[in-house]
Amino acid sequence: MLIRDARFLTSNSRAELCPAPTLPEYAFIGRSNVGKSSLINMLTGRNGLAKTSSSPGKTQLINHFLINEEWYLVDLPGYGYAKVSKTSRAEWARMINFYLRHRPNLMCVCVLIDSRHPPQAADLEFMEKLGEEGIPFVMIFTKIDKQSTAQTKALVGTYLSKMQEIWDELPRYFQTSAETSQGRDEVLAFIADVNKQWGGVEAALNA
Ligand code: GTP
Ligand code: MG
């Protein structure tokens, strides 16, 4: 997919205030600092479109970007950041859960996972919840430039084995680097493919 146009639309804390659900939408979620905002910049080829930071907790709100006037990309705040208070964590959960359940145009959630770490409970639990709610998702293993291909392969293998203990069928997964743009074509091709289902989803929404 060629990215002709990518622009920031809105930031807000409530699903009701998000742009009208008239286009297919893809949300990026995952632990704080996993590289959600960086991946959005890499995919769109616009450095600085989504705000990134080396300190976790940079993204605090639901951020909508409009791509090619055709689909929405959403940057969400990260979970699992230890320094966040219990109250903020509960607020995060409320905001995100409401968003995930009430966005009728949400085609797929992209769950980002740092390719360097062994499976973490927070990620496994989050994906289990998506499964229970029937929300489609894929996994994106990030930061693969930070280690050798063999190391990534081993860690992704461990992760998939762990997933197999929980899931009958494994979700689709991608491996990316915001530094080298590896995985860019694959993720964009996936989105282009899912976008083709939008006509059917839209018809069902309007029925
Ligand atoms: P929050 O908004 O705080 O939840 O974080 P985030 O998931 O949006 O992470 P962000 O994109 O801000 O990236 C966090 C840090 O990781 C930044 O210092 C990025 O430069 C770095 N980073 C992200 N992706 C990659 C990658 O693919 N390779 C390398 N080497 N660094 C990366
Ligand atoms: Mg961010």
Side-chain angles (χ1 to χ4, degrees):
M1 184 194 316
L2 192 69
I3 305 295
R4 297 182 305 276
D5 188 55
R7 63 192 160 94
F8 168 73
L9 287 183
T10 56
S11 258
N12 66 74
S13 60
R14 286 164 54 190
E16 310 91 282
L17 301 176
C18 291
T22 51
L23 293 172
E25 180 157 313
Y26 301 83
F28 284 34
I29 202 159
R31 291 163 72 80
S32 229
N33 218 38
V34 69
K36 300 172 292 292
S37 303
S38 302
L39 182 61
I40 286 175
N41 293 338
M42 183 273 263
L43 290 176
T44 57
R46 296 339 184 242
N47 260 338
L49 182 66
K51 298 218 170 54
T52 64
S53 166
S54 54
S55 40
K58 178 71 184 168
T59 310
Q60 299 271 350
L61 296 164
I62 304 171
N63 298 292
H64 272 77
F65 300 90
L66 176 63
I67 316 297
N68 290 351
E69 307 280 335
E70 273 169 10
W71 52 281
Y72 293 129
L73 217 165
V74 177
D75 192 14
L76 295 170
Y79 52 77
Y81 175 39
K83 283 190 187 154
V84 162
S85 71
K86 248 190 182 159
T87 324
S88 312
R89 221 173 292 174
E91 260 168 44
W92 179 94
R94 210 177 39 226
M95 171 169 88
I96 300 302
N97 288 337
F98 192 88
Y99 163 81
L100 292 173
R101 290 198 192 114
H102 295 89
R103 228 20 215 165
N105 58 333
L106 185 60
M107 303 298 276
C108 186
V109 175
C110 298
V111 180
L112 274 64
I113 289 162
D114 192 318
S115 64
R116 299 168 299 168
H117 304 316
Q120 311 271 313
D123 296 320
L124 295 169
E125 282 160 20
F126 184 76
M127 289 187 277
E128 245 185 294
K129 208 132 179 251
L130 290 176
E132 283 164 17
E133 302 265 345
I135 300 167
F137 70 93
V138 295
M139 296 162 82
I140 299 186
F141 293 97
T142 63
K143 306 194 186 184
I144 61 167
D145 60 283
K146 288 204 173 215
Q147 64 190 358
S148 71
T149 310
Q151 281 169 317
T152 300
K153 199 171 169 209
L155 275 152
V156 168
T158 309
Y159 215 110
L160 297 177
S161 307
K162 184 81 193 167
M163 291 291 285
Q164 240 152 2
E165 292 171 15
I166 308 168
W167 299 83
D168 289 337
E169 205 183 319
L170 286 178
R172 231 181 124 161
Y173 67 94
F174 300 89
Q175 300 176 36
T176 61
S177 163
E179 287 290 315
T180 66
S181 293
Q182 271 168 288
R184 182 175 189 263
D185 294 347
E186 289 81 359
V187 174
L188 288 177
F190 168 74
I191 291 174
D193 206 39
V194 179
N195 276 344
K196 291 183 196 148
Q197 297 165 23
W198 173 245
V201 174
E202 193 179 27
L205 290 178
N206 293 329

